[in-house]
Amino acid sequence: MEVRTLTRILRMNSPPGSIVEFKLYLIKEFQRLKDEERKQLGGDIRRNLAKINYRVHADAIREKPIPAGLTRQQINTIYASEADVLNMALFGITVKEWREANANKTGNIRVYAGISQLVCLSNLENLNALFINENLLHHERLVKLNTIAIHQM
């Protein structure tokens, strides 16, 4: 029940200065502390969850030799391609395909993912980094990651 609704109900049925007023104070203070705790945890737990293994994944891509002479855009395409391996394995769609199908939405596919999907995605990032270091080919990684995603979901 929302704090405002609870406050209204309790105030309708009790005189000022009663034990109910004290209980209301406790409820509001508890809610304030919970909000403060949420802010200290980084506010958006979903966003933090999506970032857990991003660094490990990005480092694994970075450590593989990228051909000399590539433009910044071409290098970004390599990173985007690796992100799409994860998106295809978990969601069955690339970022570009998702944007085209969801032109009215802001953000990307991961913003709209559920908690269980984000946990799975975090696991897949870690595993993909391992597979990259084991020199598995792009399509081999996609098949393995998809099988794992299906099992985890």
Side-chain angles (χ1 to χ4, degrees), residues 51-112:
K51 290 180 178 180
I52 289 173
N53 285 319
Y54 173 79
R55 178 61 124 194
V56 173
H57 189 243
D59 287 347
I61 298 165
R62 194 175 303 114
E63 289 172 7
K64 288 297 167 191
I66 294 176
L70 293 181
T71 66
R72 188 75 190 134
Q73 185 176 358
Q74 290 169 320
I75 293 170
N76 287 343
T77 301
I78 292 171
Y79 282 95
S81 173
E82 288 303 329
D84 274 340
V85 168
L86 299 171
N87 291 329
M88 285 297 295
L90 181 58
F91 304 112
I93 191 169
T94 66
V95 169
K96 182 180 178 185
E97 292 167 341
W98 185 86
R99 283 190 187 130
E100 289 170 357
N102 296 280
N104 60 332
K105 294 183 179 177
T106 58
N108 62 44
I109 193 169
R110 296 173 188 206
V111 171
Y112 296 93

Side-chain angles (χ1 to χ4, degrees), residues 26-148:
L26 286 177
I27 292 168
K28 287 179 181 179
E29 185 63 13
F30 178 76
Q31 185 65 47
R32 185 189 68 76
L33 290 172
K34 291 299 285 179
D35 290 342
E36 192 175 307
E37 178 184 47
R38 195 173 298 119
K39 287 177 188 174
Q40 289 177 353
L41 290 174
D44 187 355
I45 292 174
R46 290 172 153 234
R47 185 182 70 240
N48 291 333
L49 187 56
K51 290 180 178 180
I52 289 173
N53 285 319
Y54 173 79
R55 178 61 124 194
V56 173
H57 189 243
D59 287 347
I61 298 165
R62 194 175 303 114
E63 289 172 7
K64 288 297 167 191
I66 294 176
L70 293 181
T71 66
R72 188 75 190 134
Q73 185 176 358
Q74 290 169 320
I75 293 170
N76 287 343
T77 301
I78 292 171
Y79 282 95
S81 173
E82 288 303 329
D84 274 340
V85 168
L86 299 171
N87 291 329
M88 285 297 295
L90 181 58
F91 304 112
I93 191 169
T94 66
V95 169
K96 182 180 178 185
E97 292 167 341
W98 185 86
R99 283 190 187 130
E100 289 170 357
N102 296 280
N104 60 332
K105 294 183 179 177
T106 58
N108 62 44
I109 193 169
R110 296 173 188 206
V111 171
Y112 296 93
I115 295 295
S116 60
Q117 290 172 314
L118 291 174
V119 169
C120 184
L121 180 63
S122 180
N123 293 338
L124 294 179
E125 283 177 328
N126 193 35
L127 290 169
N128 195 39
L130 177 71
F131 297 156
I132 289 169
N133 289 329
E134 291 177 349
N135 295 314
L136 287 178
L137 298 175
H138 194 266
H139 70 278
E140 294 172 328
R141 289 186 280 119
L142 176 57
V143 169
K144 284 184 120 174
L145 292 168
N146 180 250
T147 301
I148 292 165

